[in-house]
Amino acid sequence: MAAHVGSRLSTATPYIKDLNTQVRKGEIKVPQFQRPFVWGVAQALDLLDSVANNYPIGSLLLWRTADKLATERNIGEFKLPETEDLTPTDYVLDGQQRMTVLYSALGAEDEGIGFSAVYDLEAEKFLEEKPGERPLHHFPMRWLYQTTKLLNFRTALQSHKNADLLQERFDALIEVFSGYQIPVVTLRDLTIEEVCPIFERINSSGTDLSTFDLMVAATWSKGFDLNEKVEEISYSLEPKNYGEIKGTTVLKCLSVVQYESANRERVIALRGFKGSPDKMDSLVDRTRKALLRAVDQLATDFKIHSLSFLPYEAHLVILTYIYANNPNLSAQALRRVRQWFWRTSFSERYRGAPDDFVTRDLQAIKSFVLKGEDGSEETFGTGLTNAEIKKMVFRKNNSRSRAFILALAKNNPKNLTNGNTIDTSEALSVYNRKQFHHIFPEAFLKRTAPGVERSNLLNFCMLAAADNNRISDRDPKDYLPELIGDLGLHADDVLRSNLMPTADEYDYTMAELGTFFDARVDIVRREIFRLCSGAH
């Protein structure tokens, strides 16, 4: 692959003036998937200063292809001319912000829109051009390649009291900008399949570039916009609090429904629908319905009211595949879905798993859930041992942390302070760590046992932020017996709902972190085993 691409990779070092000419002619464009121009004035001035000092400013990466991509983004605020359909176009994959500054500051019309800069020959620095009268020693950078205006400025500069010094500085400025060359790497006539892996690795600007963005641009036409199809699906999920679903996730869902694969090659194959909008509409409708059923189960069965608490993207993709193939699951199939979900969550099966791994699991899901074949539940993992549970630490992006929170929510927890049932749909609608309470408060442990891990999962339960503040940093030996006394006959029920030992099973007046974990771990392990067995 590398050698194949390398044979169609060219490098050049054009002058800034020549690059700007290509931009002005519409030969270089910014594809739709790129973010808008976001650089501030300070960043733009720093770039010009780097050129003036002959510092390297990085290379540009272009993709030359005769395929016309969606190019709603021009260069900054500048509307560029259309090119003939058969004329190859260079699309900017990396370097849009730098190219925009160079075109706006050096290539645009004098009174054109966008960033405009002057060089202060006295202070020897670049400034943003402001409306009003321009001082004699301020050179408008947009005159750089306009010979007549450049010579007129130099002539006028002779009347300055420091004419000789400023003209020397001016000549040096013109020389460095006129001779400055920028490394440009051009990928020539590569297919979208070849460009995607290159494109996905580009992150010099801190932008999250993805196959989805490239797919949107590569499939765009006046009669078909993949982004609109994805937005249609996202919009339908908004009432269920899943509207923030990523475009790449939707593409994978479309792909598993159509091809039984989440691999990049099959995702890219979806562009074949560009010429068949009716078929794409049908696929989008089928996927949307399956996604809605998947989200319904995630919310009602697994208490996942937001993507923030979904252990893995793979869970939504695979669940969509299941419901696309069987919209009305039997009780046995639902039990098997639960087994698969909890086992993969607690075993961290999809941690760092590539798409081809998820794709292979689709076949196991087809056998286990859709066909009801026996003996494959162990494929997805098993329950945890006491030792493994004791080592688990609360981490926002960790599947075991999320699964533990969901296990708590499944148990319909009641508030430790008053016995009221906690609204888990509200607590789990958006990630907020304040909804989760350290049974042994962080501040208390920091004060009494500074070397101990304070965020073990066994040290957490669900509790509203206001009640969390009420407990503050108190010693559990004090506040827990007090709360148990206030709860009276309901105390055992409230403690069980939080997967905590009852007052008969554990003496809270003698509560210590280690003994509490020993008493709680068996309760948590049994609940994990129950869920991994497919219990509702």
Side-chain angles (χ1 to χ4, degrees):
M1 172 71 175
H4 180 55
V5 171
S7 66
R8 288 177 287 159
L9 181 151
S10 65
T11 58
T13 52
Y15 296 105
I16 294 175
K17 180 181 180 180
D18 295 333
L19 271 176
N20 282 341
T21 298
Q22 287 182 274
V23 171
R24 188 178 301 109
K25 290 180 178 180
E27 295 172 359
I28 295 178
K29 292 182 179 292
V30 178
Q32 184 189 51
F33 51 74
Q34 292 280 34
R35 64 177 178 170
F37 179 68
V38 296
W39 271 18
V41 171
Q43 290 170 289
L45 294 174
D46 283 346
L47 182 73
L48 295 177
D49 185 68
S50 293
V51 175
N53 284 284
N54 246 320
Y55 297 157
I57 61 172
S59 62
L60 304 177
L61 179 62
L62 308 178
W63 176 25
R64 178 170 299 175
T65 177
D67 293 335
K68 297 304 172 186
L69 305 186
T71 53
E72 291 185 358
R73 304 214 189 286
N74 290 286
I75 296 292
E77 301 176 64
F78 300 98
K79 182 70 176 177
L80 302 178
E82 296 294 330
T83 53
E84 296 179 4
D85 287 345
L86 297 179
T87 304
T89 301
D90 289 339
Y91 294 99
V92 183
L93 293 186
D94 191 36
Q96 178 205 173
Q97 307 294 316
R98 286 167 286 150
M99 180 172 287
T100 300
V101 170
L102 294 176
Y103 181 78
S104 183
L106 308 175
E109 299 294 333
D110 291 356
E111 305 302 324
I113 57 176
F115 171 74
S116 181
V118 298
Y119 185 71
D120 184 336
L121 291 165
E122 289 185 347
E124 294 186 277
K125 66 178 183 179
F126 292 95
L127 304 169
E128 183 182 19
E129 186 165 21
K130 302 291 185 181
E133 186 174 348
R134 183 186 300 120
L136 181 64
H137 57 281
H138 281 191
F139 174 65
M141 293 303 294
R142 288 182 175 180
W143 289 3
L144 183 69
Y145 303 118
Q146 300 182 53
T147 305
T148 300
K149 291 184 177 181
L150 188 150
L151 292 176
N152 289 342
F153 177 87
R154 195 179 191 286
T155 300
L157 198 58
Q158 292 175 1
S159 63
H160 195 282
K161 60 181 180 179
N162 295 319
D164 290 344
L165 175 63
L166 297 190
Q167 285 185 345
E168 182 179 332
R169 291 175 178 176
F170 178 64
D171 290 343
L173 177 76
I174 300 305
E175 181 179 3
V176 69
F177 270 87
S178 297
Y180 195 92
Q181 295 172 283
I182 299 177
V184 175
V185 178
T186 303
L187 306 173
R188 296 175 178 271
D189 300 317
L190 268 65
T191 66
I192 186 173
E193 289 85 353
E194 294 168 316
V195 168
C196 270
I198 300 171
F199 180 68
E200 287 182 324
R201 294 180 189 181
I202 300 168
N203 200 28
S204 63
S205 62
T207 309
D208 182 16
L209 305 177
S210 69
T211 301
F212 169 72
D213 301 312
L214 196 53
M215 278 284 292
V216 168
T219 59
W220 184 89
S221 69
K222 291 182 178 180
F224 180 83
D225 187 346
L226 182 60
N227 192 50
E228 287 184 0
K229 302 300 180 184
V230 172
E231 286 181 352
E232 177 184 328
I233 290 176
S234 300
Y235 181 76
S236 68
L237 296 177
E238 281 186 3
K240 299 180 181 295
N241 208 33
Y242 278 72
E244 73 272 23
I245 186 171
K246 291 182 179 179
T248 48
T249 305
V250 175
L251 281 185
K252 290 176 185 178
C253 290
L254 289 166
S255 184
V256 298
V257 172
Q258 179 65 26
Y259 300 118
E260 293 191 350
S261 172
N263 290 347
R264 179 196 287 123
E265 293 75 14
R266 302 315 297 166
V267 170
I268 292 174
L270 290 169
R271 67 191 179 115
F273 285 89
K274 177 179 178 179
S276 306
D278 290 343
K279 290 183 179 179
M280 175 55 86
D281 286 341
S282 177
L283 176 58
V284 167
D285 186 59
R286 186 182 172 198
T287 303
R288 178 182 57 81
K289 290 177 179 177
L291 260 169
L292 286 170
R293 289 188 175 93
V295 167
D296 277 339
Q297 185 173 12
L298 290 174
T300 59
D301 201 346
F302 302 115
K303 305 298 182 183
I304 303 176
H305 298 281
S306 164
L307 283 169
S308 299
F309 290 93
L310 186 69
Y312 293 108
E313 176 196 58
H315 284 129
L316 182 57
V317 173
I318 293 176
L319 207 51
T320 300
Y321 167 77
I322 291 171
Y323 278 108
N325 287 277
N326 188 348
N328 301 298
L329 297 179
S330 65
Q332 182 192 51
L334 284 171
R335 182 176 63 81
R336 292 182 174 222
V337 167
R338 296 185 196 107
Q339 288 180 291
W340 157 76
F341 175 84
W342 292 111
R343 286 168 182 261
T344 53
S345 297
F346 281 113
S347 69
E348 299 183 310
R349 181 170 177 79
Y350 300 122
R351 181 181 179 183
D355 292 330
D356 60 346
F357 182 88
V358 176
T359 296
R360 288 197 298 272
D361 256 18
L362 291 177
Q363 297 307 310
I365 283 292
K366 177 187 284 188
S367 299
F368 184 57
V369 176
L370 297 176
K371 294 184 178 180
E373 296 176 0
D374 294 327
S376 58
E377 62 268 22
E378 298 295 322
T379 301
F380 306 116
T382 58
L384 301 176
T385 65
N386 284 10
E388 289 172 324
I389 294 171
K390 284 184 176 181
K391 290 180 180 178
M392 294 195 305
V393 177
F394 191 101
R395 297 284 185 267
K396 177 182 177 181
N397 295 320
N398 177 269
S399 70
R400 286 179 173 173
S401 297
R402 293 178 178 179
F404 177 75
I405 290 168
L406 299 174
L408 287 175
K410 281 282 291 181
N411 218 43
N412 297 315
K414 294 178 174 58
N415 200 314
L416 284 175
T417 62
N418 56 25
N420 286 337
T421 300
I422 295 172
D423 184 354
T424 57
S425 64
E426 179 180 347
L428 302 185
S429 62
V430 62
Y431 179 82
N432 181 356
R433 185 163 180 166
K434 292 182 179 180
Q435 298 286 350
F436 309 110
H437 166 62
H438 285 76
I439 298 169
F440 282 71
E442 277 194 289
F444 168 76
L445 290 175
K446 189 174 183 180
R447 184 174 67 248
T448 60
V452 74
E453 171 59 60
R454 298 187 290 273
S455 292
N456 287 84
L457 281 178
L458 287 175
N459 193 28
F460 280 88
C461 68
M462 296 182 70
L463 192 68
D467 297 301
N468 219 333
N469 293 333
R470 173 185 166 186
I471 293 170
S472 187
D473 63 347
R474 296 177 63 191
D475 189 331
K477 289 198 295 286
D478 296 331
Y479 86 81
L480 282 171
E482 178 183 303
L483 293 180
I484 290 170
D486 291 343
L487 291 168
L489 296 176
H490 301 290
D492 285 354
D493 184 41
V494 171
L495 290 169
R496 289 193 191 96
S497 74
N498 287 283
L499 300 181
M500 294 170 62
T502 66
D504 291 335
E505 296 168 330
Y506 182 71
D507 184 359
Y508 284 96
T509 64
M510 302 293 291
E512 293 182 353
L513 191 66
T515 60
F516 175 72
F517 283 3
D518 288 339
R520 195 185 191 197
V521 68
D522 283 326
I523 298 170
V524 172
R525 178 180 52 78
R526 287 195 297 269
E527 179 62 14
I528 291 174
F529 179 81
R530 189 182 74 86
L531 293 172
C532 288
S533 298
H536 193 281

